[in-house]
Amino acid sequence: MKDIEKILATFDPATGRMDGAPLTQRFLHDLRRCFHDAAAFEQAAAAGNPLIYTVAGVEPGAGDGDLHYGVGMIMPGRIGDEYYMTKGHLHSWREAAEVYCGLAGEGVMLLEDEDGGNSRMVPLGAGKVVYVPGRTAHRTMNTGTVPLTYIGIYPAKAGHDYSTIARKNFTSIVVERNGAPAMVRRGTKA
Ligand code: PAN
Ligand code: ZN
């Protein structure tokens, strides 16, 4: 059996921080070309480089049957009308699915088939579990006023493909309309 450090982890559901786990931090400048409103991005990026999200990652093993997981935290905020969000990715091993459990705060996930033909916006928050099937690009947004925290659990072999999203971005965006999140096609006005 694995050592207790690999079996038990302790995290703070309000902040997403986990004792002893490496923390990836993404700042606004890391998200260039993710947001649809380039002018709003440049204005915000000129004013500063705030922390947008963190992931505390746990990789207990790398075998065929192993799992990895990460506790994510996304700050509340928007660039123009678009909510603060993650870069988003496909898994390098395309068949790899993932389970997201919301811990605190309010948010949504944008799920897109790899060919971009089908987009879906799904709520993520306390009491919500989202199953992300294989071959599905996924990006998470904080649509609330406090940090959104969640845990994502995926096969150790999944790997993260960011380059496909960096090249094509998502077909849809999630924007604030009348105080609520709405999914619209990129490049259209809703
Ligand atoms: C999550 C994500 C986390 C950050 O743990 O890695 O939400 O999003 P990006 O990886 O797109 O920056 C996950 O989906 N892992 O597979
Ligand atoms: Zn993933």
Side-chain angles (χ1 to χ4, degrees):
M1 190 180 292
K2 291 187 188 300
D3 298 337
I4 189 69
E5 309 83 63
K6 299 202 171 179
I7 292 175
L8 176 68
T10 302
F11 65 89
D12 179 348
T15 65
R17 297 298 169 105
M18 195 179 330
D19 297 341
L23 190 73
T24 301
Q25 296 181 297
R26 299 282 183 221
F27 296 87
L28 184 63
H29 293 187
D30 299 319
L31 296 173
R32 188 168 286 281
R33 283 185 284 280
C34 290
F35 294 95
H36 81 99
D37 186 338
F41 177 86
E42 292 307 334
Q43 194 177 2
N49 190 21
L51 179 70
I52 306 296
Y53 67 96
T54 62
V55 186
V58 182
E59 302 187 350
D64 280 356
D66 273 308
L67 300 172
H68 289 175
Y69 62 93
V71 173
M73 183 285 298
I74 308 176
M75 296 295 288
R78 290 199 315 256
I79 297 297
D81 57 4
E82 194 173 13
Y83 298 100
Y84 280 5
M85 62 189 177
T86 61
K87 287 184 172 196
H89 58 268
L90 286 149
H91 293 145
S92 308
W93 178 37
R94 290 291 196 264
E95 285 80 3
E98 181 161 0
V99 173
Y100 272 70
C101 302
L103 302 171
E106 282 177 54
V108 298
M109 294 189 75
L110 178 61
L111 306 181
E112 279 190 0
D113 289 344
E114 189 178 4
D115 63 9
N118 200 4
S119 308
R120 184 168 279 183
M121 184 176 75
V122 189
L124 179 70
K128 299 265 189 291
V129 178
V130 176
Y131 182 77
V132 180
R135 303 189 177 283
T136 306
H138 43 290
R139 169 176 273 172
T140 309
M141 292 88 179
N142 184 341
T143 60
T145 56
V146 300
L148 169 71
T149 59
Y150 55 92
I151 185 167
I153 306 164
Y154 50 96
K157 295 197 305 182
H160 292 88
D161 171 7
Y162 293 103
S163 59
T164 303
I165 295 303
R167 202 170 64 246
K168 300 198 300 191
N169 213 335
F170 282 68
T171 307
S172 295
I173 59 177
V174 175
V175 292
E176 192 264 346
R177 291 284 183 270
N178 304 317
M183 185 181 74
V184 299
R185 232 34 205 179
R186 186 179 300 279
T188 60
K189 292 272 175 220

